[in-house]
Amino acid sequence: FPGPVAEMQTFGRGKRVGYWLSEKKIKKLNFHTFVEMCRASKLYHGIHYLCKAYSRQCTLLLDLSQPLEQQGPLDAIIHKLTDHIVDADQNVTESILLVQSVQEYIDAHPETVILDPLPAIRTLLDRLKSYTLIHKIEESMKDDRICSPSFMGLSSECGPDMLEQLHKNGITFPFICKTQVAHGINSHEMAIIFSEADLKDIKPPCVLQSFINHNAVLYKVFVVGEAYSVVERPSIRNLPFGPTDQRAISFNSHHVSKPESSSDLTSRDNLEGQFRTPSDDVIQKISRCLRQALGVSLFGIDVIINNQTGQHAVIDINAFPGYEGVPEFFDDLLTHLTSILQDHVPAGPLRANGVSQSLPTVCGVPCGMLANEGSHWVIDGEGTKKSSHQGLNYCNADRAPNYQQHCRASLAAEASTQ
């Protein structure tokens, strides 16, 4: 290797971490701050930027269009390849080759920690798969404090039996219509369907999800390994239950949930029922199960609180979110990366980011369960307040409505006791 890599000292070998993020993501996160933190850490010789074209900001040029085998060894890779994974699934040749190249390196080097595994990312990029997963996790948890909304997939335009299909799958008016692909600009474009009259306007493939009144508050849970932060955001106002004459409302979920968002759609003039903040214990359980079922470390969970029952409902899961409003993100990422690289022991197939899984199931959900998803979920139209780091087995009392919380959990350690 040219430059500083060739001159690296071999005694007391440090760790080498590669990363690939889009330029937009790098700027949005100010990820170079994290690069400098890694360089300052005694654990690392350096963190190296995986990129396709030369950049002065690269510590080392690693070309993803070429075999990574020639550019390693790498102890860990941090990436957000979501754009390329989606394009590969759309048969874009360049992305297919790039993703295959990365996966080939991963397969050949089980000792390399991947944040996060590509199959897991594919699951999170498909709302139908991720919603199926969260429902299976909830079934296994048997916790009355959790009840996510009913949903179903739609692969073709609505047929004459659509109302029957909605009833069969527990979907009630109003419901949210979302794209099945949970990434990209279009993934934020959604619609609220209030009655049968607007079913004809639904554009498949999509996922339909019952709307739950939640007093216009969304809780975004940002997970980094064993730590999570909860940030409160605006959300859709309470809506009348059952079919109404209201015409469908189209909206952009990204705009609706911005901290400064204020509109009639996010009005909090009709608050009613229960107003609770998320339970630490519930968020811990959901995060731990998702992390272990998929082997992921960097993800976000959108949670609302049912204003009638007080139950937690997961309405979306995101791969490597933006971590807006989480000033501890880089500290948590460095802590997590350091921990898994120090503890990492290459093992068999049940390895999740350095955490050895000795049992065939985690949180009651079999590893690899997504390969056996039932088709009954899919039909066609014809048929931060910031607290100090603390253990997450603590169940919080109700807090003031405006808060931001940051906690650290030994999720993997606690899961081993389940």
Side-chain angles (χ1 to χ4, degrees):
F1 295 105
V5 176
E7 298 168 4
M8 285 197 326
Q9 295 175 323
T10 56
F11 62 89
R13 178 178 176 270
K15 304 297 183 180
R16 301 180 69 234
V17 180
Y19 73 94
W20 192 93
L21 307 173
S22 67
E23 288 295 331
K24 180 179 179 181
K25 186 77 171 181
I26 290 171
K27 292 178 181 178
K28 186 175 183 179
L29 289 174
N30 192 23
F31 202 75
H32 296 300
T33 299
F34 179 70
V35 173
E36 294 304 319
M37 289 174 63
C38 285
R39 289 174 180 166
S41 171
K42 293 182 180 180
L43 178 71
Y44 304 94
H45 279 313
I47 179 167
H48 310 294
Y49 180 25
L50 280 65
C51 56
K52 296 179 62 180
Y54 178 74
S55 167
R56 290 181 181 177
Q57 296 173 332
C58 294
T59 304
L60 173 68
L61 176 63
L62 294 178
D63 190 344
L64 286 187
S65 67
Q66 300 298 320
L68 293 181
E69 194 67 57
Q70 302 172 8
Q71 306 169 60
L74 296 170
D75 294 285
I77 296 176
I78 303 171
H79 72 89
K80 186 164 187 180
L81 289 168
T82 46
D83 286 337
H84 291 293
I85 292 173
V86 170
D87 287 346
D89 290 343
Q90 298 295 321
N91 295 318
V92 176
T93 302
E94 181 182 9
S95 292
I96 291 174
L97 295 175
L98 187 148
V99 173
Q100 285 180 344
S101 174
V102 174
Q103 188 62 59
E104 286 171 0
Y105 182 85
I106 294 170
D107 292 341
H109 294 276
E111 74 279 4
T112 300
V113 174
I114 308 299
L115 302 180
D116 280 317
L118 303 193
I121 299 302
R122 279 195 165 91
T123 295
L124 296 181
L125 291 177
D126 186 323
R127 285 193 170 105
L128 192 59
K129 290 183 179 180
S130 64
Y131 293 178
T132 299
L133 173 62
I134 197 65
H135 272 254
K136 289 184 177 181
I137 286 176
E138 289 181 10
E139 289 173 5
S140 69
M141 291 171 67
K142 295 180 173 59
D143 191 326
D144 291 339
R145 296 172 296 173
I146 309 170
C147 186
S148 294
S150 301
F151 72 96
M152 69 182 227
L154 192 65
S155 60
S156 61
E157 293 185 357
C158 298
D161 65 340
M162 190 61 199
L163 288 178
E164 178 183 345
Q165 294 291 351
L166 290 171
H167 178 74
K168 179 180 178 181
N169 286 276
I171 309 292
T172 55
F173 291 108
F175 62 81
I176 305 290
C177 180
K178 307 179 182 183
T179 61
Q180 186 167 336
V181 177
H183 179 70
I185 297 176
N186 291 336
S187 68
H188 297 292
E189 298 300 330
M190 304 181 183
I192 307 173
I193 307 298
F194 291 91
S195 68
E196 182 181 3
D198 289 317
L199 295 179
K200 64 183 184 301
D201 297 325
I202 295 177
K203 304 299 182 185
C206 59
V207 177
L208 312 181
Q209 184 184 66
S210 287
F211 180 82
I212 295 175
N213 279 332
H214 51 285
N215 284 329
V217 178
L218 170 68
Y219 297 99
K220 297 192 77 70
V221 181
F222 295 106
V223 181
V224 184
E226 298 177 354
Y228 73 76
S229 297
V230 182
V231 179
E232 180 182 320
R233 296 283 178 80
S235 187
I236 298 173
R237 60 181 168 83
N238 293 335
L239 300 173
F241 179 78
T244 67
D245 294 333
Q246 169 73 54
R247 297 308 305 270
I249 298 175
S250 297
F251 67 98
N252 184 295
S253 62
H254 181 68
H255 296 160
V256 165
S257 63
K258 284 185 175 180
E260 68 277 10
S261 178
S262 178
S263 68
D264 179 63
L265 192 58
T266 58
S267 171
R268 301 178 71 177
D269 293 338
N270 63 337
L271 303 185
E272 60 183 15
Q274 302 186 39
F275 198 114
R276 297 183 181 180
T277 55
S279 157
D280 290 339
D281 184 49
V282 171
I283 298 301
Q284 172 198 351
K285 287 181 177 179
I286 295 173
S287 300
R288 181 180 65 224
C289 288
L290 280 170
R291 182 184 171 197
Q292 295 196 355
L294 290 171
V296 293
S297 294
L298 304 174
F299 60 99
I301 312 170
D302 290 350
V303 176
I304 58 174
I305 305 296
N306 188 317
N307 71 350
Q308 297 302 310
T309 67
Q311 293 172 304
H312 299 65
V314 175
I315 59 172
D316 253 321
I317 312 170
N318 308 294
F320 204 150
Y323 293 94
E324 296 95 341
V326 185
E328 305 89 357
F329 172 53
F330 291 149
D331 291 326
D332 289 337
L333 181 55
L334 183 60
T335 297
H336 177 60
L337 197 57
T338 300
S339 174
I340 60 178
L341 286 175
Q342 287 177 332
D343 299 338
H344 180 55
V345 177
L350 299 183
R351 179 176 62 84
N353 294 326
V355 179
S356 177
Q357 307 295 333
S358 58
L359 300 176
T361 61
V362 282
C363 296
V365 180
C367 294
M369 51 151 278
L370 291 171
N372 300 310
E373 291 170 7
S375 60
H376 65 281
W377 290 109
V378 188
I379 68 166
D380 58 29
E382 301 299 324
T384 60
K385 178 182 88 188
K386 177 178 180 295
S387 66
S388 59
H389 286 125
Q390 56 185 299
L392 295 188
N393 57 351
Y394 164 78
C395 184
N396 66 310
D398 287 353
R399 292 189 179 87
N402 295 308
Y403 81 103
Q404 181 181 30
Q405 182 186 8
H406 175 255
C407 304
R408 183 174 306 285
S410 298
L411 301 178
E414 293 191 15
S416 67
T417 66
Q418 298 300 307

